[in-house]
Amino acid sequence: GRLKWFPSVHKTKRGTLLAWEHVARFDTDIMARYIGKKKIYNVFSDRWGEQIMPQVQGPWIAWWDLGATANARPRVGVKNILTGKKIIFKPPSRKAFLGPPSIGGNFVYWYQDDNFFAAGRDYKGTIMKARLGRSTRKALFSPRNSNAPMWAGWTAPPAPSANAGFVTWADEKCFQKPALAGCLGNRFGRNVWIVSKRGGTPRRKTTHRGDQAYPAMGPRRRDFAGPGRRQR
């Protein structure tokens, strides 16, 4: 059989919806089903393309669309499997980079750097949000914010994790020499940050030296950072 991995699951009134990466012969697609039901939904497939990292909230599924050129110009896809409504968020220009998505409450979030492929790039971006079912996107803060995330490609792209009220992520600010003076004792490594869904200045959640990454938001105001100690 084909590989089926990297699942995401969410319990709803209709049932528990499970989405996963389905590895075909030449690409990866997003599939879903309600646990205990026979019907399998083909959420998104694109021959020769890569769609990965599904996230589930109610009937909505978001995924990272790397396309046929695998990570050259990633997009973010969102689909309601019950109505079939689908929205693909494309980079606003050829200079922009979009990271993998997260769904929290009624919104989808992702990291975006509008100048990542530009000659004068500074590797600073922001966290974008869009209401589920709508195509309008909005930045939670300016990339010129002193606490805006930085990512130059040394590690995996910032992957936000969200609940109904907050968004958290890890970045590479303390990998970049111009930012080291503000790293409060962290000589090297990533840190975890958090911001309200309404936007504002991000706050750093990790406070000790080392590398803290891959945070996951719980249903309430709580986030975890690893490797390292648990942060509340």
Side-chain angles (χ1 to χ4, degrees), residues 174-175 185-191 206-212 227:
C174 288
F175 277 36
N186 286 56
R187 298 292 182 251
F188 190 78
R190 291 167 289 181
N191 280 294
T206 46
T207 57
H208 58 295
R209 296 186 183 187
D211 190 56
Q212 294 87 46

Side-chain angles (χ1 to χ4, degrees), residues 1-202:
R2 307 280 171 82
L3 289 174
K4 300 174 177 63
W5 52 10
F6 296 103
S8 179
V9 64
H10 185 235
K11 187 175 182 180
T12 71
K13 293 181 179 180
R14 188 181 181 91
T16 301
L17 182 61
L18 170 70
W20 67 89
E21 295 179 13
H22 176 82
V23 182
R25 293 184 64 183
F26 300 106
D27 67 351
T28 302
D29 303 324
I30 302 297
M31 313 292 284
R33 72 185 302 172
Y34 284 96
I35 294 177
K37 306 293 183 180
K38 292 183 178 180
K39 182 176 181 178
I40 296 179
Y41 297 87
N42 186 341
V43 181
F44 194 89
S45 61
D46 181 14
R47 190 179 183 187
W48 314 115
E50 300 292 337
Q51 291 78 42
I52 62 174
M53 300 177 71
Q55 297 288 303
V56 178
Q57 180 82 16
W60 291 95
I61 298 175
W63 66 91
W64 200 26
D65 187 349
L66 301 184
T69 52
N71 207 29
R73 294 293 187 274
R75 305 180 296 177
V76 169
V78 185
K79 184 177 182 178
N80 185 316
I81 65 167
L82 299 183
T83 66
K85 184 178 180 63
K86 179 179 66 178
I87 298 173
I88 302 295
F89 294 96
K90 299 179 180 179
S93 74
R94 292 187 59 81
K95 299 177 182 179
F97 173 87
L98 276 61
S102 174
I103 300 180
N106 296 319
F107 295 91
V108 59
Y109 302 88
W110 66 88
Y111 171 78
Q112 183 168 308
D113 181 346
D114 287 343
N115 295 298
F116 185 81
F117 295 106
R121 57 187 178 267
D122 59 6
Y123 300 114
K124 295 187 71 174
T126 186
I127 302 297
M128 305 295 296
K129 79 171 182 179
R131 184 174 289 275
L132 293 172
R134 300 182 185 177
S135 59
T136 301
R137 67 183 84 180
K138 179 182 179 181
L140 292 183
F141 47 84
S142 169
R144 294 185 295 274
N145 189 295
S146 59
N147 287 346
M150 297 182 70
W151 182 72
W154 298 104
T155 61
S161 177
N163 62 16
F166 295 87
V167 190
T168 185
W169 65 90
D171 76 350
E172 293 179 345
K173 187 182 296 291
C174 288
F175 277 36
Q176 314 302 324
K177 288 183 178 180
L180 287 178
C183 287
L184 303 178
N186 286 56
R187 298 292 182 251
F188 190 78
R190 291 167 289 181
N191 280 294
V192 173
W193 300 79
I194 190 171
V195 74
S196 166
K197 71 173 184 180
R198 298 179 180 86
T201 296

